[in-house]
Amino acid sequence: MAACVDKWHPTHAGCLSSAIYHYLPDRAATVDRAMPAAAPAPASACCVRGGDDVWDELRAEAQADADAEPFLRKFYWDLVLSRPSLEAALAAHLSAKLCVPGALPQDALRDLLAGALEAHPEAGRAARADLLAARDRDPACGRMVHCFLYYKGFLALQAHRAAHALWADGRAAAALLLQSRASEVFGVDIHPGARIGCGILFDHATGVVIGETAVVGNDVSILHGVTLGGTGKESGDRHPKVGDGVLIGAGASVLGNVHIGAGGKIGAGAVVLRDVPEGTTAVGNPAKAIGKKAAPQRRPEEQPGVTMEQGWSDYVI
């Protein structure tokens, strides 16, 4: 599985969410690169340093909620507190959501998910970065445990990470099963072949569609109703490539093998049919760049995908 698309260094002083860079690739900063690499980064590029701080914090939040609301104790115990790791908790939670009584048993599905996550540890590292992204970017997310338990965008993305792992291992039937169930349950349809980076936020998430050959970089935020799709019946590499730090507004459609440069911003309802340069805001149908001045070079934590700033900018490349 190639979850993390390589980009910047994980230790930037004064960043909005410094912890998230522990789960991003440990590479020298290359902020002048407009697109994610055509080939995915190797699994070893996503590095975890030190202990599992995300899992420890999530468990502490779960215990605090269980203490405050006694009727939730069994729920939190079953899904979080009794589990030895985030990966085990994800497998249990997703299997409970995606199983089909009498046809797709929960235990068998849990084993499938657990096996995929164990075989591809980069998926777990990406999930931790996704949790941090939700906590730091979404003002409605007070605790990571709430994102883990209740946010369908996060859950749909983790189901995709497991499906992508199976797809990479040549288990297409199992991968497509997970895609189908996640689409039915969460309303988010991501082909298991799509390559999606670390630190991703699907805000609200309903109606997000991502095609087979799409590539999404790191630190990207995507709102509800977004389509990263094709333009017809062509085969091969036919879906968008989204750079690091991009923000895509609600209801936007990016169609065809077009590139959205790093730090780009796509306005709500835009229909993008051509490349969008790095750092550019594009709006409208068909989408056009707006602004009058050259966009300043931004630090990773200042990119639109991290700040979630959806207002109009006077900058354009």
Side-chain angles (χ1 to χ4, degrees):
M1 177 180 175
C4 295
V5 181
D6 50 327
K7 173 65 163 134
W8 40 62
H9 196 276
T11 52
H12 291 275
C15 67
L16 177 66
S17 55
S18 59
I20 200 170
Y21 294 103
H22 290 286
Y23 303 96
L24 291 176
D26 187 13
R27 300 290 181 88
T30 55
V31 296
D32 57 337
R33 198 199 72 206
M35 304 299 156
S44 60
C46 290
C47 301
V48 178
R49 297 159 183 79
D52 194 348
D53 295 339
V54 170
W55 177 236
D56 292 343
E57 183 175 342
L58 191 149
R59 282 178 52 86
E61 293 171 348
Q63 187 63 62
D65 276 1
D67 291 343
E69 297 285 359
F71 83 98
L72 289 175
R73 284 175 182 168
K74 185 179 187 307
F75 179 67
Y76 276 81
W77 173 260
D78 288 346
L79 293 180
V80 178
L81 296 172
S82 66
R83 304 297 170 180
S85 67
L86 178 62
E87 289 80 0
L90 275 172
H93 191 20
L94 287 172
S95 63
K97 292 280 190 182
L98 303 180
C99 68
V100 180
L104 185 60
Q106 182 176 343
D107 289 349
L109 186 55
R110 183 183 63 242
D111 291 345
L112 177 70
L113 290 161
L117 295 174
E118 181 179 4
H120 293 265
E122 68 275 12
R125 292 192 287 268
R128 289 163 172 81
D130 299 337
L131 284 166
L132 290 168
R135 183 197 65 184
D136 293 343
R137 296 178 210 163
D138 185 352
C141 183
R143 292 182 171 182
M144 286 189 291
V145 71
H146 298 163
C147 175
F148 173 85
L149 290 172
Y150 309 130
Y151 285 28
K152 64 182 178 181
F154 170 79
L155 293 172
L157 179 55
Q158 305 324 309
H160 165 73
R161 295 197 188 284
H164 184 71
L166 293 168
W167 185 265
D169 288 343
R171 301 181 65 183
L176 291 169
L177 169 67
L178 289 182
Q179 176 198 3
S180 175
R181 290 298 297 142
S183 177
E184 293 170 4
V185 172
F186 303 125
V188 176
D189 193 357
I190 310 173
H191 192 282
R195 305 201 301 273
I196 298 180
C198 300
I200 305 300
L201 174 62
F202 288 166
D203 197 359
H204 299 290
T206 301
V208 168
V209 176
I210 300 178
E212 178 183 6
T213 61
V215 178
V216 177
N218 302 317
D219 275 346
V220 172
S221 293
I222 296 176
L223 277 74
H224 51 284
V226 166
T227 296
L228 304 180
T231 58
K233 296 176 64 176
E234 70 274 18
S235 59
D237 192 0
R238 60 197 183 279
H239 295 106
K241 311 297 179 284
V242 178
D244 299 338
V246 168
L247 173 62
I248 305 181
S253 295
V254 186
L255 305 177
N257 188 12
V258 299
H259 293 73
I260 310 300
K265 189 187 301 186
I266 308 301
V271 178
V272 180
L273 303 174
R274 297 181 179 180
D275 291 356
V276 175
E278 178 178 349
T280 300
T281 298
V283 301
N285 180 7
K288 297 180 180 179
I290 59 173
K292 302 174 183 177
K293 298 179 290 187
Q297 197 170 69
R298 297 185 178 97
R299 293 159 57 91
E301 63 273 16
E302 297 170 342
Q303 298 282 32
V306 175
T307 65
M308 299 294 289
E309 173 55 55
Q310 299 185 62
W312 178 77
S313 169
D314 195 36
Y315 297 107
V316 67
I317 293 294

